[in-house]
Amino acid sequence: MAQATARHILVSSEEQCAALKTEIENGRDFADAAREHSSCPSGRSGGDLGAFGPGMMVKEFDAVVFSAPINAVQGPVKTQFGYHLLEVTSRT
């Protein structure tokens, strides 16, 4: 079965999510941005979600995590929790 590791940043608005993506693309450290801005408890660990398989996250999240390029920031991705920036760090 497929497995992935990923990290994310969860915020309440699409605008904030897009602004953070621009900052990261311009050199800001993803983990630092997650610690400062993410409303998810994973923000304390730089947004790291650990390893998981298909179906363990909401479908919008899974769709990106199991298809996006590795080490490329994706988003904003809207779920019922808010807006996410996602970075897949590995996938098997």
Side-chain angles (χ1 to χ4, degrees), residues 12-78:
S12 60
S13 77
E14 186 173 9
E15 295 77 17
Q16 183 183 17
C17 198
L20 286 169
K21 183 177 184 181
T22 299
E23 288 181 25
I24 293 164
E25 288 171 342
N26 288 328
R28 181 162 189 195
D29 183 69
F30 189 102
D32 288 344
R35 280 188 280 276
E36 185 177 339
H37 295 283
S38 186
S39 61
C40 180
S42 69
R44 289 190 296 275
S45 60
D48 185 19
L49 296 169
F52 53 91
M56 294 177 69
M57 302 289 180
V58 294
K59 67 179 169 100
E60 300 91 343
F61 208 92
D62 266 11
V64 173
V65 168
F66 290 99
S67 67
I70 306 294
N71 298 320
V73 177
Q74 305 295 313
V77 175
K78 186 179 189 315

